[in-house]
Amino acid sequence: MSTIRLTMAQALVRYLAAQRIEDQGQEFPLFEGVFAIFGHGNVSGLGEALYHAREALPTFRAHNEQTMAHAAIAFAKAHGRRRLMAATSSIGPGATNMVTAAGLAHANRLPVLLLPGDTFATRDPDPVLQQVEHFGDPTITVNDCFRPVSRYFDRITRPEQLLTSLPQAIATLLDPEHCGPATLALPQDVQTFAHDFPESFFAPRVHRIRRPQPDPRELEEALSALARAERPLIIAGGGVHYAGACERLAEFARTHGVPVAETQAGKGALPDAHPMAMGAIGVTGSEAANRLAEQADLILAIGTRLQDFTTGSRALFERDELTLVALNVGRFDSHKHHAMPVVGDARDGLAALSAGLDGWRTDDAWREKAGGLKRDWTQVVARVTADEGRELPTDAQVIGAVNRQSGEDGTVVCAAGGLPGELHKLWQCAGPGSYHVEYGYSCMGYEIAGGLGVKMAHPEREVFVMVGDGSYLMHNSELATSVMLGHKLIVVVLDNRGFGCINRLQQATGGAGFNNLLEDCRTAPEGAPKTDFAAHARSLGCRAERVRGIAELEQALVRARQADSTYVLTLDTDPLPSTAEGGAWWEVAVPEVSSREQVHKAYQGYREAKRGQHR
């Protein structure tokens, strides 16, 4: 057996560079590159190895470990989980910064390879700089924080462990069911240790995503239930995108006359122009989708984990007389809510269902009801997103302006707060790839970094990042990265002077306005400062404007599209309104005892709403 002597870090880098992926009949590198912020725990080992491989496996410098991992995650999401990136940090704060990103990737079932440095395996300089000591267990480091938020975790304490661990990490990243973050903790001394690796280990390998086929008996039961249904509704989740099943879903819905509602992750599976596209479902759903969900006798949930925003905290459509069929590649998700499971790939599962339903179609009355509800909702969207000339426009009106300027090549990116809810209700999707919102983990600070990842994945698209002032102030540094790398973003900052979404939720549950809007916070006597976001963005190398009102915003968006570098637009918005139409109940616990009458009233409403919750 022919061998080559390499350090552990060199072997890791060479292996990653040799991995390929087949996507739609073409081969690509599996890893686009590695985001890296170097420290003493990874610079001399992994950093030196990356330097020598920088052509085969590019290294990108970022400004924050959490957000560089967010960018890597967004890149993978934009590529339908078929092309990936890695992220490396030193041990200590660099590693723990990435834990939040790991939680986001885990919740959203998205692949990212995390490579945090670790403390010395030999313990010779113990305790090393940034080491957190556990007096009763010296094997614990801060990297153990990654265990609950990783789908695969290993600490590489000998170079030869890569021979078994690396293939398992890659298999996890590409597994359609168990996809999520893989973490390899790399002690800084072990990164530099050498081993005689088999040369065959580094031979190029082409990966293909598995497509598990539905069990014939589960398929037969689902077909029987569908054939009996008179008022079926499809709920499309993110799994539709990841299985490449959007076209098949569009064909199925049109052929069989079944209306389709979409989760946050599923939004954009159908273009809004599709006659069976009913828009968003659930807490932030359209009136059309939610009314159909209430009246449906069967729901076919495809590629969705049926979280509380989708089900209205189990009060929207879960009832004894409803049949719930779950087509999902994951056994865990397909059995939720006592569903009739069909475990298998969404694209091939839809094809099998359609073939088994040959000639079956919903009756005219159900399709006409769906069409009427859709027309009514379209009018609502047009009304609430129209420019009313307000000095402080609503989130909905800003969304309307950006949507009108986004075009067929636009992708909107957002995360956390009230904006994702309004986008879910109101954004009119051109089709797959036009909507990228992180709401499984609802992580403030994802927006700009996520936009960078999307732009790196699809440089031909115009990427519109919508972000509130709260999220912008949490994480804005990757604006400088986008300028440095030449990946243009259009960023719209909605400044409502605080955490407007949580302020609304606080008051909806009977609380007083407190510690959310800046005017309700403890501040210096002169009050909170007014942040000049445009000036800040210019200091990071962006072009930027502050605009007033929707008309000025639309004119500025035209200039931003014509620009060749990252362009930031900021405007003041009203923190109080949100779209009242549509939506469903969301369970947020209310105190049983309070001195506030408003809380007593909210608690009674909470108890009443829980009576409609299916248990």
Side-chain angles (χ1 to χ4, degrees), residues 171-215:
T172 301
L173 293 168
L174 297 178
D175 189 289
E177 178 179 4
H178 298 291
C179 181
T183 302
L184 299 180
L186 309 175
Q188 66 166 288
D189 52 344
V190 180
Q191 292 177 41
T192 67
F193 293 172
H195 177 72
D196 294 318
F197 288 91
E199 285 193 337
S200 60
F201 185 61
F202 306 107
R205 180 179 176 187
V206 180
H207 299 270
R208 297 169 181 85
I209 305 295
R210 290 185 299 111
R211 291 190 178 275
Q213 299 303 296
D215 179 83

Side-chain angles (χ1 to χ4, degrees), residues 70 73 77 103-105 107-108 110 264-265 305 412-417 420 435-447 450:
H70 285 168
I73 294 163
K77 178 181 171 74
L104 183 149
N108 288 284
L110 293 170
Q264 276 281 14
R305 60 195 183 102
V412 67
V413 179
C414 190
Y435 187 86
H436 183 116
V437 173
E438 191 288 299
Y439 213 55
Y441 206 52
S442 187
C443 185
M444 292 180 70
Y446 173 89
E447 297 89 344

Side-chain angles (χ1 to χ4, degrees), residues 182-477:
T183 302
L184 299 180
L186 309 175
Q188 66 166 288
D189 52 344
V190 180
Q191 292 177 41
T192 67
F193 293 172
H195 177 72
D196 294 318
F197 288 91
E199 285 193 337
S200 60
F201 185 61
F202 306 107
R205 180 179 176 187
V206 180
H207 299 270
R208 297 169 181 85
I209 305 295
R210 290 185 299 111
R211 291 190 178 275
Q213 299 303 296
D215 179 83
R217 289 169 296 181
E218 291 183 349
L219 189 64
E220 184 178 347
E221 290 176 358
L223 284 168
S224 178
L226 276 163
R228 293 193 304 268
E230 297 179 354
R231 302 181 306 280
L233 174 70
I234 291 172
I235 298 178
V240 174
H241 290 279
Y242 304 141
C246 295
E247 289 186 10
R248 192 147 289 169
L249 174 62
E251 180 184 352
F252 183 98
R254 191 185 298 272
T255 299
H256 302 291
V258 182
V260 177
E262 296 170 331
T263 69
Q264 276 281 14
K267 190 171 173 70
L270 296 186
D272 275 278
H274 192 289
M276 290 292 105
M278 298 296 118
I281 190 166
V283 174
T284 54
S286 74
E287 192 75 22
N290 284 353
R291 296 297 74 78
L292 291 173
E294 291 174 341
Q295 298 170 31
D297 59 359
L298 180 142
I299 286 180
L300 173 59
I302 307 174
T304 170
R305 60 195 183 102
L306 291 174
Q307 57 115 316
D308 64 340
F309 258 59
T310 300
T311 67
S313 296
R314 300 190 179 219
L316 177 59
F317 56 77
E318 295 196 36
R319 51 190 181 274
D320 291 338
E321 63 272 20
L322 174 80
T323 300
L324 177 61
V325 179
L327 169 58
N328 202 295
V329 75
R331 176 205 57 79
F332 184 83
D333 290 320
S334 67
H335 283 78
K336 285 179 178 174
H337 306 281
H338 305 288
M340 180 183 297
V342 183
V343 181
D345 175 74
R347 190 190 72 179
D348 292 355
L350 272 170
L353 287 173
S354 190
L357 293 170
D358 187 29
W360 174 83
R361 186 172 169 82
T362 59
D363 62 34
D364 294 343
W366 183 240
R367 297 196 307 275
E368 288 170 4
K369 176 180 285 292
L373 288 168
K374 177 176 181 174
R375 287 190 294 274
D376 292 344
W377 181 250
T378 300
Q379 293 174 2
V380 170
V381 172
R383 173 170 53 80
V384 302
T385 59
D387 180 12
E388 296 178 342
R390 293 173 53 135
E391 182 180 354
L392 292 178
T394 66
D395 290 354
Q397 290 161 355
V398 177
I399 287 169
V402 177
N403 206 168
R404 288 188 289 274
Q405 296 297 326
S406 63
E408 293 292 318
D409 65 339
T411 299
V412 67
V413 179
C414 190
L419 273 173
E422 295 288 77
L423 283 162
H424 194 211
K425 279 186 182 182
L426 305 173
W427 188 266
Q428 303 295 288
C429 287
S434 61
Y435 187 86
H436 183 116
V437 173
E438 191 288 299
Y439 213 55
Y441 206 52
S442 187
C443 185
M444 292 180 70
Y446 173 89
E447 297 89 344
I448 292 170
L452 174 61
V454 172
K455 188 67 174 181
M456 293 177 76
H458 295 294
E460 76 283 359
R461 296 191 70 90
E462 201 74 75
V463 177
F464 295 83
V465 175
M466 299 191 68
V467 60
D469 55 301
S471 274
Y472 182 98
L473 288 171
M474 276 193 181
H475 283 301
N476 54 63
S477 56

Side-chain angles (χ1 to χ4, degrees), residues 531-587:
T531 304
D532 189 339
F533 292 103
H536 178 266
R538 284 193 288 269
S539 76
L540 296 178
C542 307
R543 298 183 63 180
E545 298 182 43
R546 183 183 178 196
V547 299
R548 291 171 175 80
I550 299 301
E552 285 190 20
L553 173 62
E554 294 217 45
Q555 294 167 4
L557 284 166
V558 173
R559 293 190 289 275
R561 284 196 68 117
Q562 294 169 346
D564 58 3
S565 62
T566 293
Y567 210 106
V568 176
L569 302 171
T570 175
L571 75 165
D572 289 350
T573 59
D574 192 333
L576 299 180
S578 61
T579 303
E581 294 85 351
W585 178 65
W586 182 39
E587 180 169 8

